[in-house]
Amino acid sequence: MHIVVCLKQVPESQNVRIDPKTNTLIRQGVASVLNPFDYFALEAALTIKDERLDTKVTAITMGPPQAKEVLMDALSRGADDAILISHRAFAGADTWATSFTLAAAIRRLEPVDLIVCGKQAIDGDTAQVGPELATILNRPYATYVKSFEFVDDSHLKITRQTDEGVAVWRLPLPALVTVLKDVGEPRPRSYRATLRARRYEIPVWGPEELGVDEDSVGLKGSYTQVVRIFSPERKKDRIMLRGSVEEMVDELYYWLKEQRVPGL
Amino acid sequence: MKPLVDKELCVACGECIDACPVGAISVGDECAEISDECTLCGMCVDACQYGAISMPDVGTGADEDLSRYKGVWVFVEWRHGTVHRVSYELLTVGRKLAEKKGTDLCAVIQGHKLDGVEKDLFRYGAKTVYVVDHPSLAHFTDEIYGNVLVELVRRYRPEILLAGGTSTGRSFIPRVAAMLQTGLTADCTELDINDEGLLLQTRPAFGGNIMASILCPYRRPQIATVRPKVLRAEPLDMPVDGQVVRPDLPGACFVSRVEVLEEQVLEGPGANIAEADVVVSGGRGLQRKENFAMLEELASLLNGAVGASRGAVEAGLADPSQQVGQTGRTVAPVLYMAVGISGAVQHVVGMQGSKVIVAVNRDPEAPIFDVCHFGVVADLFEFVPAFIRKIRKERGEEV
């Protein structure tokens, strides 16, 4: 079985802020990390590998050269192979252009039985690349997967979270899943895998290796364009209530009534 | 490709250096220089006070006549016999967009045994309601829901398509966009028509710290999703005299590779947390599981649900279904009360869309006070019971 895990390197979003004075992004001290949800995607793949010994796990990422850090991390946790998809032409990609590029890479890695993605990336939060990638590759998919098991060699039984509960699906392979944290606690790096990762030369694929036209990827290949970036409107000045507990209770009640909170 | 620096306008002030999130800009003696590290995020364009930096042209030309696409469509989400509230919110904003464009608002509803639910949609201004009622639509699958919507879009060519950012919409709308090879903007908080008649889609990024406005200039339809409760639903005084169209679709639309084995509507403490108008959440400050009882009392008085921080869930004080935050649920109620929650960013990203945020915490330095509208520095064990008594007293109930 061949499993491809799609990873993304993201800025630690809690630290990304716009300076209110200059209206610019403050980048000081913002580290790049593996998208937290992708740890669970990797863990899901490695869990399958634990049980099915003939499994190969390939980690891929698209990003600038330093994105290879997240591939090293994946190798250190037990991924067998890693591919960095990196080239100037890929910059500025929206979710379509990203999915299109990842699809081209996965076609080169075929046969691929299962593609695993995190539920979304914390920088964009779109949750689009998984479904778009599956659609471009004409594979069935399931999003928000909490747990899965093999029914037989070519079918998964998955449980996906919905807004009101869960749905249980039978999903034929080859397929794609986007997973939730419920699939398992990410395992730590192992000593042996880390040593191997250090010697591992990560191949870098550009448009030429993928066989794609430079105009169909990156900003040029994107259907959406970001026309403006700005700070969210600052919340109305917050009101700190003062006085005794009784006074604060009365005041809060008054304000919530004024804000037309239902039920009051 | 990199942004273009106009050497005439650039004064080498260096503002763009700080703006660049990847450190790709340096300033020589005369003007800014952008290296290959650039990811084309556009931050420098915004940062430059002199208008010296611009994004390179993107020449994705149209390969179809865009003027053939007309009308604003809303995908109406039908769930176990009812229309999801987000659909009414979308019809309301869709109506305004259609008015601005001088075009019609239409609705699409898919499901099984729909029994006239479409009539309600005329109250929100839908001129045409496309109804697809089929046994294989009784349960949601990305494949069939996607196939049907794609077929309808190809047939009737709407210019704009809106859908709810629910677990359903966020799952299958990307499939629709990819099949139609067009752009999609998720979780918009604001939709408008710009001067060129394009859909201007504004959404948060980086956990809500940054807003981005996005266009889809060369592809149709322009597709956007909006989370429930972000926009307001306003019915018309008089329903529109609209028509119902029941298109005949090819059988191939109704074939799915996925088989639905089971669907469960979960009960439990966190079951309705995403839908509730009022969410009262507790953190580690509650100390003991039994203390959540007072939050439950408060929530039930306000017809709301009880949430929890990750800390409270990990300490075993609350059920995982109640967790609000990055690894839990995202909620945007009218009122969010954070009780005994310090306000780590991971929690805040799950609730910052709430209309009114009240924070109750003993520690005046707690970061939750940075994001709240009303802050109460108090011992929650005194404040919450007193607040419950106040509500009961105002209602004339025995206290």
Side-chain angles (χ1 to χ4, degrees):
Chain A
M1 174 147 314
H2 186 194
I3 304 175
V4 170
V5 184
C6 301
L7 305 176
K8 185 178 188 186
Q9 192 180 44
V10 297
E12 269 190 302
S13 72
Q14 58 259 49
N15 298 327
V16 179
R17 288 265 187 287
I18 288 185
D19 184 326
K21 281 186 204 131
T22 59
N23 199 33
T24 58
L25 205 68
I26 303 168
R27 53 179 280 261
Q28 215 167 17
V30 180
S32 287
V33 296
L34 175 60
N35 175 42
F37 297 122
D38 295 350
Y39 281 108
F40 302 107
L42 179 64
E43 179 58 29
L46 295 174
T47 311
I48 297 172
K49 187 177 152 78
D50 291 342
E51 287 161 14
R52 303 172 81 92
L53 297 176
D54 61 336
T55 301
K56 182 171 97 163
V57 175
T58 304
I60 66 171
T61 192
M62 182 175 101
Q66 66 265 28
K68 82 163 200 258
E69 291 160 14
V70 302
L71 297 176
M72 292 297 282
D73 193 3
L75 290 166
S76 307
R77 288 169 207 269
D80 299 286
D81 280 316
I83 310 284
L84 175 64
I85 302 155
S86 186
H87 189 273
R88 291 284 322 131
F90 297 142
D94 71 353
T95 63
W96 161 265
T98 302
S99 308
F100 177 84
T101 308
L102 293 176
I106 287 168
R107 285 197 188 103
R108 272 209 63 184
L109 293 166
E110 294 277 21
V112 174
D113 303 284
L114 184 64
I115 302 163
V116 191
C117 305
K119 75 160 179 173
Q120 67 200 51
I122 59 162
D123 51 354
D125 277 327
T126 71
Q128 281 166 213
V129 168
E132 290 187 341
L133 174 59
T135 304
I136 294 170
L137 292 169
N138 192 24
R139 289 166 181 237
Y141 65 89
T143 54
Y144 307 114
V145 170
K146 286 163 72 83
S147 64
F148 58 86
E149 59 184 89
F150 280 88
V151 185
D152 54 45
D153 279 348
S154 57
H155 289 88
L156 282 178
K157 183 176 157 186
I158 63 97
T159 302
R160 68 182 295 264
Q161 184 158 51
T162 63
D163 285 341
E164 61 268 8
V166 295
V168 183
W169 289 1
R170 185 180 147 102
L171 188 65
L173 299 179
L176 178 147
V177 289
T178 77
V179 300
L180 302 180
K181 60 170 175 162
D182 310 58
V183 294
E185 191 61 33
R187 66 196 62 197
R189 296 183 189 127
S190 87
Y191 177 70
R192 243 182 69 193
T194 305
L195 285 185
R196 182 176 163 269
R198 283 198 190 144
R199 291 192 306 267
Y200 188 95
E201 288 252 349
I202 296 175
V204 181
W205 290 358
E208 204 175 310
E209 286 81 3
L210 298 184
V212 295
D213 188 3
E214 288 196 19
D215 285 346
S216 61
V217 297
L219 187 64
K220 278 193 174 175
S222 295
Y223 296 151
T224 57
Q225 293 176 6
V226 177
V227 287
R228 192 162 91 92
I229 296 179
F230 57 100
S231 260
E233 243 174 73
R234 290 185 68 78
K235 294 223 163 82
K236 268 185 241 155
D237 283 338
R238 79 177 162 174
I239 297 179
M240 295 299 288
L241 309 187
R242 301 191 189 285
S244 68
V245 165
E246 297 309 320
E247 284 165 338
M248 289 194 286
V249 159
D250 288 348
E251 205 185 336
L252 182 64
Y253 185 87
Y254 166 82
W255 284 117
L256 295 186
K257 192 108 183 158
E258 206 217 48
Q259 300 278 331
R260 295 191 196 170
V261 168
L264 281 178
Chain B
M1 253 194 311
K2 299 177 219 178
L4 310 169
V5 181
D6 187 326
K7 291 182 181 167
E8 302 289 317
L9 295 175
C10 179
V11 299
C13 68
E15 287 285 343
C16 52
I17 298 180
D18 295 331
C20 178
V22 294
I25 307 183
S26 57
V27 169
D29 289 342
E30 283 168 14
C31 77
E33 286 163 16
I34 301 175
S35 79
D36 282 351
E37 300 287 299
C38 169
T39 61
L40 284 167
C41 71
M43 296 303 294
C44 54
V45 177
D46 249 29
C48 181
Q49 301 167 35
Y50 305 95
I53 311 180
S54 58
M55 290 295 268
D57 265 346
V58 279
T60 316
D63 52 6
E64 250 191 297
D65 184 5
L66 301 184
S67 64
R68 289 165 64 212
Y69 290 80
K70 285 201 166 58
V72 176
W73 274 24
V74 169
F75 171 78
V76 172
E77 198 166 325
W78 172 85
R79 281 191 190 173
H80 314 295
T82 53
V83 170
H84 192 282
R85 64 187 285 167
V86 73
S87 305
Y88 297 124
E89 295 159 3
L90 291 170
L91 285 165
T92 305
V93 70
R95 194 169 74 216
K96 290 169 188 165
L97 297 174
E99 269 166 28
K100 216 163 169 177
K101 287 225 55 137
T103 182
D104 283 348
L105 175 69
C106 304
V108 183
I109 184 161
Q110 306 181 18
H112 187 45
K113 296 183 181 160
L114 291 168
D115 289 336
V117 290
E118 67 272 8
K119 292 194 190 77
D120 222 20
L121 308 177
F122 297 124
R123 284 176 49 231
Y124 286 84
K127 294 250 170 63
T128 304
V129 180
Y130 298 95
V131 178
V132 183
D133 193 317
H134 192 277
S136 65
L137 293 166
H139 298 288
F140 169 76
T141 59
D142 296 277
E143 299 220 316
I144 299 179
Y145 270 66
N147 294 347
V148 168
L149 190 52
V150 165
E151 177 65 25
L152 294 175
V153 166
R154 286 193 175 135
R155 205 176 278 191
Y156 300 102
R157 289 193 289 269
E159 187 178 358
I160 291 170
L161 171 62
L162 308 178
T166 60
S167 62
T168 299
R170 282 167 66 86
S171 190
F172 93 102
I173 296 294
R175 171 175 169 81
V176 171
M179 286 175 79
L180 295 167
Q181 299 203 5
T182 186
L184 164 61
T185 306
D187 298 342
C188 298
T189 51
E190 221 184 299
L191 294 169
D192 201 358
I193 303 293
N194 78 357
D195 295 341
E196 297 159 79
L198 294 170
L199 181 66
L200 187 67
Q201 310 159 100
T202 299
R203 74 182 301 270
F206 293 106
N209 291 324
I210 289 169
M211 303 297 291
S213 292
I214 294 167
L215 295 177
C216 174
Y218 305 115
R219 296 279 171 161
R220 294 294 178 272
Q222 305 160 77
I223 311 182
T225 63
V226 181
R227 292 259 190 182
K229 283 180 282 187
V230 168
L231 304 173
R232 194 196 287 270
E234 293 158 14
L236 296 169
D237 298 332
M238 287 288 287
V240 166
D241 189 16
Q243 55 164 345
V244 172
V245 175
R246 297 176 189 276
D248 230 350
L249 298 181
C253 283
F254 301 103
V255 178
S256 172
R257 291 168 285 190
V258 168
E259 190 190 337
V260 178
L261 303 175
E262 200 186 337
E263 260 178 18
Q264 286 173 17
V265 176
L266 283 199
E267 301 297 326
N272 59 345
I273 187 169
E275 313 285 329
D277 277 331
V278 173
V279 174
V280 182
S281 283
R284 273 184 206 273
L286 270 286
Q287 293 171 11
R288 295 159 67 94
K289 195 170 180 174
E290 301 83 81
N291 293 333
F292 264 78
M294 63 180 171
L295 301 191
E296 273 148 31
E297 186 182 353
L298 177 55
S300 75
L301 270 178
L302 302 174
N303 222 345
V306 176
S309 70
R310 180 173 166 169
V313 171
E314 282 180 354
L317 307 181
D319 190 76
S321 67
Q322 296 173 283
Q323 190 178 320
V324 172
Q326 197 176 82
T327 47
R329 299 296 193 98
T330 301
V331 299
V334 179
L335 170 64
Y336 188 87
M337 274 186 88
V339 180
I341 293 176
S342 64
V345 174
Q346 287 82 350
H347 182 75
V348 170
V349 296
M351 49 64 102
Q352 62 191 351
S354 311
K355 293 239 163 56
V356 180
I357 298 170
V358 174
V360 182
N361 204 301
R362 211 168 41 183
D363 174 11
E365 301 295 316
I368 193 75
F369 290 120
D370 295 337
V371 296
C372 74
H373 301 94
F374 299 102
V376 179
V377 180
D379 181 343
L380 68 95
F381 296 104
E382 284 177 44
F383 185 84
V384 175
F387 193 55
I388 291 171
R389 281 196 300 275
K390 168 78 179 172
I391 295 171
R392 289 198 188 284
K393 199 173 124 200
E394 290 289 331
R395 287 183 186 177
E397 290 173 22
E398 293 259 338
V399 181

